[in-house]
Every structure is written in structure tokens, then in C-alpha cells.
């Protein structure tokens, strides 16, 4: 072990932190600083600059830390290729990922390494809760919906992951040997690539979960982990991943949407103009709130949220009430905002709802 500059690290680090970035000059410093501030210091930080055309290179070069490995590509190759490049050159026993617009809490790595090293041999991943921060017209709003909606799913979570993705890439610590067994990120998938990997891992390894919010995830219009409402892309991505993973999924459950609209903008225009129809978001947690804020900025008016969690009923999100599914009527337009949207779609079909959209 080497002690230098107030931190301790190995010539061969225990953890390899992989931070892909593309044109994130406004946020990459925050992400890097949150890694360098970790109380666990035995790591290397591999920054993969995926063809940035802004001042990312100059910003990264300002950090003088021997644990930083900076790799820059001339062309953008998408985040799966960037993450895979980091994995291939990593030297650590464990791999952690951080998107360049997110940040870690100081004890994040320490708690994950401690847990994984005191876990069963077949635990392959430790992931954590996280806080989401939205930048919007009303100023910055911080919530922590993830812990409320996902109550410590751990162990064999293969069947749960097949229903939808709830593991944030910036929150995971993965044993490097896991990738030798299941492969890397699929570079042919441009959305849902992390979900695909988590499902493949969960077939062979157990997951452990730390309930604490040890990651801050920032949502804005151009963030790497950010959000844009595109039902066509969401469903088509799920179709591709579902087919690849042999997960049964029927596109026909969204027949109303695909039969009436050729683009997402057509749906938004219809929803703005038909103000007599009630618009509801099913899911009052991370994804549902992100959809709400995004569509609110597009001029969409909502009547209320719906959630299956009884503890949320009666509460409000920016003056919009959260109600029980019983409040939904057959003619309502329901936007599903949840990692478990396939299960919710089945629930809506049982209620007689046909005007549903996957967000």
C-alpha cells in the first residue's frame, strides 16, 4: 500500500471507477470531485472521454491525482462502448460506474466494499439507493423516491429485473469476474443497455442492496442519466431487450397509442388540445415524477398521480394529489411512469383502461 497526499492506494487498486463523459464540461468536475473525496481511497478513476468537443479535456487535466487515468477518443461511440473500454483497461477487483452528471456521497465506496467483502461468494453486485435532483422552472427540487418504491430488493432478483430496470448504473459495485461470466454491455443496444446487463448478471449472481441514498442523480434536459419522454423509443427498446432476453412482452397492450399517433409530438399535441380528457400518471416515484416534470414543461396538464403504495395516497407532488388506482376511469389517459410498467399495464387492462402510454 502507498500513502501519499492524504490518501492510501495500491499499485494495483482494489476498485476501478469508470466515468464515461461526453460534452459535460458543466458537470464533470462535480463527478470527479465526488470520487476523489471518497473515504475509501484504494481506487483508480478511469475517465473515458467519448469524443467531447467542449472543454472537458481541459477540465479533467486540472485534476492532479495519480489515481486518475484519462482516455480520450476522437469520435463519440456511445456510453456502452465507453463503459466497456473502461472495463477492459481496469485493474481493480471491483468495478464501479459513475455518470458524469451524477455524484457520490463520501462513504459510498467504503460501505459497498465492506458489504461485498463480507457477503457470500455468489454475490456479484452491490447497489444502493439514490437521491434525485431535478432542475426545472420552479427551481431545484430534491426528493428520494427510490428507497420508498424499491424496498431492498436483493438476493436472487432475476424475476424482478425481468419486469423492469430499477438499478441505477451510478449506484453499482460489480465484481470484475462477473463480466468474465456474463460479458460486457451490449454495444448494439442504445437504450436499456444497463437493464440488459443487470438481467444477465442476475441469472448467475446474487445482488446486495444498501438502502441509504449514496448517489445523487441529477436530471436535466441534457444529462447523461437524464430523461426525455419518448414512448416509441421506450417500447421499441423494451421489445429489443425482451426478445434478446426471452422475456414475454406484447406491444399490443399499447394499441391505442400506436394506432393513433405516428410521433410522440402528435401525442403531446393531442393531449394539450383535448383538455376535457383526464391525464394521469401511474407511478409517484422516481420515473413518474421525472415524466411529470418533463411533460409539465411541454404544457401538459395533469389531474392526479396514481400509485399502488397506500402510504403515498393523499400526499401531493407540486400540488398534484396522489390517489389509489380505484380513482382511474376507463376513458382516462394513463401515462405509466414506473420500472414495473408491464405489470401496471396488466393492471390497467383489468380496470378496462385502453388509453395507456409507456413512459
Amino acid at each position: 500500500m502507498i500513502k501519499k497526499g492524504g490518501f492510501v492506494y495500491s499499485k494495483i487498486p482494489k476498485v476501478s471507477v469508470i466515468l464515461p463523459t461526453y460534452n459535460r464540461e458543466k458537470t464533470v468536475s462535480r463527478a470527479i470531485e465526488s470520487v476523489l473525496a471518497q473515504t475509501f481511497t484504494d481506487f483508480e478513476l478511469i475517465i473515458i472521454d467519448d469524443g467531447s468537443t467542449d472543454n472537458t479535456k481541459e477540465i479533467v487535466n486540472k485534476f492532479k491525482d495519480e489515481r486518475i487515468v484519462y482516455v480520450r477518443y476522437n469520435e463519440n461511440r456511445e456510453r456502452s462502448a465507453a463503459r466497456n473500454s473502461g472495463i477492459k483497461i481496469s485493474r481493480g477487483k471491483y468495478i464501479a460506474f459513475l455518470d458524469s452528471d451524477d455524484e457520490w456521497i463520501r462513504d459510498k465506496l467504503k460501505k459497498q466494499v465492506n458489504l461485498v467483502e463480507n457477503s457470500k461468494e455468489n454475490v456479484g453486485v452491490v447497489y444502493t439507493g439514490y437521491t434525485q435532483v431535478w432542475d426545472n422552472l420552479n427551481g431545484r427540487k430534491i426528493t428520494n423516491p427510490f428507497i420508498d418504491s424499491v424496498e431492498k430488493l436483493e438476493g436472487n432478483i432475476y424475476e424482478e429485473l425481468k419486469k423492469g430496470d430499477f438499478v441505477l448504473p451510478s449506484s453499482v459495485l460489480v465484481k470484475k469476474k462477473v463480466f468474465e461470466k456474463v460479458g460486457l454491455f451490449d454495444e448494439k443496444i442504445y437504450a436499456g443497455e444497463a437493464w440488459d446487463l443487470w438481467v444477465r448478471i442476475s441469472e448467475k449472481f446474487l445482488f446486495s442492496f444498501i438502502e441509504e441514498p449514496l448517489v445523487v442523480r441529477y436530471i436535466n434536459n441534457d444529462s447523461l442519466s437524464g430523461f426525455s419522454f419518448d414512448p416509441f423509443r421506450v417500447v421499441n427498446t423494451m421489445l429489443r431487450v425482451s426478445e434478446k432476453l426471452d422475456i414475454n412482452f406484447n406491444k399490443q397492450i399499447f394499441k391505442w397509442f400506436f394506432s393513433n399517433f405516428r410521433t410522440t409530438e402528435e401525442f403531446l399535441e393531442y393531449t394539450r388540445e383535448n383538455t376535457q380528457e383526464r391525464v394521469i400518471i401511474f407511478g409517484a416515484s422516481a420515473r413518474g415524477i421525472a415524466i411529470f416534470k418533463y411533460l409539465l414543461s411541454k404544457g401538459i396538464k395533469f389531474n392526479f398521480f396514481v400509485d399502488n403504495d397506500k402510504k403515498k395516497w393523499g400526499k401531493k407532488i407540486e400540488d398534484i394529489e396522489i390517489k389509489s388506482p380505484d380513482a382511474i376511469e376507463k376513458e382516462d389517459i394513463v401515462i405509466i411512469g414506473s420500472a414495473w410498467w408491464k405489470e401496471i399495464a396488466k393492471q390497467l387492462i383489468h380496470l378496462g383502461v385502453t388509453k395507456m402510454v409507456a413512459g
Side-chain angles (χ1 to χ4, degrees), residues 129-263:
Y130 60 88
T131 299
Q132 294 212 98
V133 178
W134 288 272
D135 293 318
N136 55 74
L137 296 175
N138 298 320
R140 180 166 289 174
K141 181 178 177 64
I142 301 177
T143 66
N144 185 25
F146 180 80
I147 290 175
D148 292 334
S149 60
V150 182
E151 295 182 358
K152 204 172 184 178
L153 287 177
E154 61 180 356
N156 182 351
I157 62 172
Y158 176 66
E159 292 300 326
E160 291 299 324
L161 274 170
K162 283 169 63 177
K163 298 174 185 176
D165 183 17
F166 48 84
V167 178
L168 182 71
S170 291
S171 78
V172 303
L173 182 79
V174 187
K175 290 179 178 177
K176 188 173 183 179
K177 69 177 184 180
V178 165
F179 298 105
E180 299 170 3
K181 294 284 187 180
V182 307
L184 306 179
F185 289 94
D186 188 337
E187 295 179 18
K188 296 179 181 178
I189 301 176
Y190 298 106
E193 76 287 341
W195 179 45
D196 166 65
L197 178 61
W198 309 148
V199 174
R200 284 189 279 125
I201 292 175
S202 68
E203 286 187 277
K204 299 181 182 296
F205 296 90
L206 302 179
F207 281 55
S208 287
F209 179 56
I210 298 176
E211 285 192 73
E212 295 176 71
L214 299 178
V215 179
V216 181
R217 183 192 191 201
Y218 289 88
I219 304 294
N220 51 64
N221 290 337
D222 64 349
S223 64
L224 179 63
S225 60
F227 179 84
S228 62
F229 180 77
D230 189 347
F232 287 90
R233 184 178 184 183
V234 169
V235 174
N236 287 326
T237 293
M238 294 307 175
L239 279 171
R240 289 197 304 272
V241 177
S242 296
E243 182 179 357
K244 183 173 183 289
L245 299 175
D246 194 27
I247 300 171
N248 183 33
F249 168 64
N250 186 357
K251 185 176 179 179
Q252 288 300 308
I253 61 177
F254 300 107
K255 183 177 180 180
W256 172 79
F257 176 77
F258 284 103
S259 297
N260 289 281
F261 308 105
R262 293 169 297 177
T263 65

